[in-house]
Amino acid sequence: MDSIPIVIMTGQVPTLLIGNDAFQEADIVGITRPCTKHNYLVKDLRDLARTIKEAFYIARSGRPGPVLIDLPKDTLVNSTEFKYPEKVFIRGYQPTYEGHQGQVQRAVKLMLKSKKPIFYVGGGIISSTPRRNLPSLLKSWASLSP
């Protein structure tokens, strides 16, 4: 997922043809499930505004990542009143932003026992607050090693 917040909208065959091996049908939701943070298949046009709001919220919150919205042709050609919700609440999705103290302490103890610790930090550190503290943390850690 590479921690890049992006919302992708794809076109699909009409709703009635989904799951029937229709010409040009692709199970894009299934194909992209392993490499996206979340997927939507909008079958009811009235759900589109809420889905868009949720998709951008999910893409940017917690660990950022890609979210896919698949739109069947019949939802694209129809029209409805667009009511963009002010707030988003997704039951079961409440990202945490603080580390679990017990797990952090356990990790520190393990690192202190190691002879040559290696810090392997990925792209997520760039978009997070600790990136400013990383150089001083590494210097402090180097002074602790024998």
Side-chain angles (χ1 to χ4, degrees), residues 2-64:
D2 206 24
S3 299
I4 305 297
I6 184 170
V7 174
I8 304 105
M9 294 184 185
T10 56
Q12 186 59 271
V13 298
T15 305
L16 292 174
L17 297 177
I18 294 175
N20 293 322
D21 267 342
F23 177 67
Q24 293 187 336
E25 176 190 9
D27 179 14
I28 194 70
V29 171
I31 292 168
T32 60
R33 189 165 281 139
C35 59
T36 56
K37 191 172 173 185
H38 193 69
N39 287 313
Y40 289 96
L41 173 60
V42 181
K43 291 185 176 181
D44 187 340
L45 185 58
R46 293 172 293 192
D47 295 334
L48 183 59
R50 178 188 51 79
T51 301
I52 291 171
K53 180 81 170 185
E54 286 180 9
F56 278 93
Y57 172 74
I58 291 171
R60 291 187 311 242
S61 63
R63 178 181 175 190

Side-chain angles (χ1 to χ4, degrees), residues 116-137:
K116 293 184 181 181
I118 296 174
F119 286 81
Y120 183 75
V121 293
I125 193 95
I126 294 169
S127 62
S128 66
T129 306
R131 71 175 142 68
R132 293 185 293 258
N133 302 331
L134 185 62
S136 61
L137 171 68

Side-chain angles (χ1 to χ4, degrees), residues 77-128:
V77 297
N78 289 327
S79 62
T80 189
E81 185 178 346
F82 190 85
K83 295 179 184 176
Y84 204 61
E86 288 186 32
K87 294 185 178 183
V88 173
F89 176 76
I90 304 167
R91 194 179 85 221
Y93 180 73
Q94 303 298 320
T96 58
Y97 295 94
E98 299 293 324
H100 184 277
Q101 280 302 102
Q103 292 175 343
V104 171
Q105 289 173 359
R106 189 170 162 219
V108 169
K109 286 178 185 177
L110 288 171
M111 289 188 289
L112 286 171
K113 288 181 183 178
S114 66
K115 293 179 182 170
K116 293 184 181 181
I118 296 174
F119 286 81
Y120 183 75
V121 293
I125 193 95
I126 294 169
S127 62
S128 66

